[in-house]
Amino acid sequence: MNSESWKVKLALLLVSSLTIMSMITISASLPDMTKTFSDVPNGGKLVKMVLSFPGLFIALSAIAAGLVIDKIGRLKLLGVALVLYAISGTSGYWLDNLYAILAGRALLGISVGITMTIVTTLVADYYHGKARQKFAGIQIAVMSLAGIIFISLGGILADINWRVPFLLYLFSILIIPFAYLYLKEPLKAEDTHQEVKTVKSPKIIWFVFANVMLMWIMFFIIPIQIPFYLKSIGVEKNSLIGLAIASSTFFSAIGAISFSKIKDKFAFKQIFGLGYLLMAIAYVCIAYGNSYAMVMVAMLLGGLGMGVMIPNANVWVMQLAPLEIRGREIGRLTTFWFMGQFLSPIILLPILDIVTQSQLYLIIAAVLLILSLIMLVFYFMTRKTESVNEL
């Protein structure tokens, strides 16, 4: 198989596109959905959980998926996961019970945990060195652009009815032919059934996992809370809310496309520091802006920050993970990624009981600034070691 074929790349990118859309496609539906389930005890909080709930099950399933694909191969679970994605994703359109919708979102999370672990592991299998670095940036960029399309469509469709955006999850069915026509089981993956108990990744891989979780805890409050923040400052159209969230995803794509060139000049820790700094400035803009225009500026900065940090983490883990346990380590990466998304509302939303929304964004900005400084100090303390390891 020629991994440089555009058909192979297209198949990988189509499967990758399912990840971000799984979480935020229905973001613009949340305010109207809250009204529908206002008579359900704690209905408002449960509706917000609809957005983040899949993250828990992605996190739980990804580790298991990584272990399984290391043993049986990468592609055996993919078709089942794509079908499950369509069925569970559309459940919000058909179901009238909020708890049943949450159950559907849990199944959606399991399907994404499988697909994301498979596709990211395949990228690590198919590409190496500069080619891997470049494709990882393209992968995140396409995921972000897919997010733009589906968030925008979700916002438009939510103006018809909050249930309609759930039908967008049928997109996974269209991907199945591409996946089975153009993706092949890597030969090396088939040879990894040997004893792997003694194979370990460098300990710094846990540092990467921790940062992945932290950056998502801080960022994922945007699709969860920004719709309500925009409503509070007078923005009523769901399509405008969807556009704002989509813009952060667009600039995330810009950052991701630029990642390969940025990585040629900066170390992994420096890029994390830059990403945290951009996100900190973004939250300051939201806190003091109090307007749709300033929210859009914040989406630009926050999107750029996440756009460079996501492929940065992915490539770092791909570089650190030995082939024999690559699926397991990428499964862990996926777990920390979506555990951050799941924990975001649990950690941050209760703060709104004691502070205003603007104050919450300032608190997040302060934490991000501290993380940026820690990352840069850590880089200068370990500069010589990192330079050797990246050769």
Side-chain angles (χ1 to χ4, degrees), residues 276-292:
Y276 284 135
L277 178 61
L278 288 171
M279 289 175 63
I281 298 171
Y283 281 111
V284 171
C285 289
I286 299 173
Y288 287 113
N290 200 37
S291 69
Y292 187 77

Side-chain angles (χ1 to χ4, degrees), residues 31 48 221-222 224-235 241 283-292 294-296 298-299 352 356-359 361:
K48 291 181 181 180
I221 198 67
I222 285 178
I224 293 174
Q225 193 59 33
I226 285 298
F228 297 91
Y229 177 76
L230 288 173
K231 292 276 186 179
S232 73
I233 63 173
V235 179
I241 293 172
Y283 281 111
V284 171
C285 289
I286 299 173
Y288 287 113
N290 200 37
S291 69
Y292 187 77
M294 287 304 294
V295 168
M296 293 297 283
M299 297 302 100
L352 287 174
T356 65
Q357 291 193 69
S358 294
Q359 289 171 335
Y361 296 129

Side-chain angles (χ1 to χ4, degrees), residues 166-187:
F166 283 89
L167 293 178
L168 293 172
Y169 292 104
L170 290 170
F171 179 66
S172 67
I173 297 297
L174 302 178
I175 295 176
I176 293 176
F178 291 90
Y180 279 96
L181 282 172
Y182 304 127
L183 299 181
K184 304 299 179 184
E185 192 67 40
L187 294 176

Side-chain angles (χ1 to χ4, degrees), residues 25-38:
T25 295
I26 60 168
S27 183
S29 294
L30 295 186
D32 289 344
M33 193 175 178
T34 301
K35 294 178 183 178
T36 299
F37 294 107
S38 59

Side-chain angles (χ1 to χ4, degrees), residues 273-325:
L274 172 64
Y276 284 135
L277 178 61
L278 288 171
M279 289 175 63
I281 298 171
Y283 281 111
V284 171
C285 289
I286 299 173
Y288 287 113
N290 200 37
S291 69
Y292 187 77
M294 287 304 294
V295 168
M296 293 297 283
V297 172
M299 297 302 100
L300 182 158
L301 295 170
L304 288 175
M306 286 298 287
V308 296
M309 285 198 291
I310 296 172
N312 188 58
N314 287 1
V315 172
W316 201 353
V317 169
M318 289 177 189
Q319 177 178 304
L320 293 170
L323 172 63
E324 296 85 354
I325 57 172

Side-chain angles (χ1 to χ4, degrees), residues 154-220:
I156 294 169
L157 294 175
D159 282 329
I160 301 173
N161 186 283
W162 65 262
R163 294 182 181 275
V164 180
F166 283 89
L167 293 178
L168 293 172
Y169 292 104
L170 290 170
F171 179 66
S172 67
I173 297 297
L174 302 178
I175 295 176
I176 293 176
F178 291 90
Y180 279 96
L181 282 172
Y182 304 127
L183 299 181
K184 304 299 179 184
E185 192 67 40
L187 294 176
K188 288 184 179 180
E190 295 173 352
D191 296 331
T192 58
H193 300 285
Q194 58 186 293
E195 183 66 42
V196 297
K197 291 182 179 179
T198 59
V199 179
K200 295 182 179 180
S201 300
K203 291 182 180 179
I204 197 171
I205 200 169
W206 292 96
F207 173 82
V208 186
F209 293 154
N211 274 280
V212 167
M213 185 170 70
L214 283 171
M215 72 189 196
W216 276 111
I217 288 174
M218 298 301 167
F219 182 77
F220 204 64

Side-chain angles (χ1 to χ4, degrees), residues 49-67:
M49 290 296 291
V50 167
L51 198 68
S52 60
F53 202 50
L56 173 63
F57 290 88
I58 296 171
L60 293 174
S61 62
I63 291 179
L67 291 170

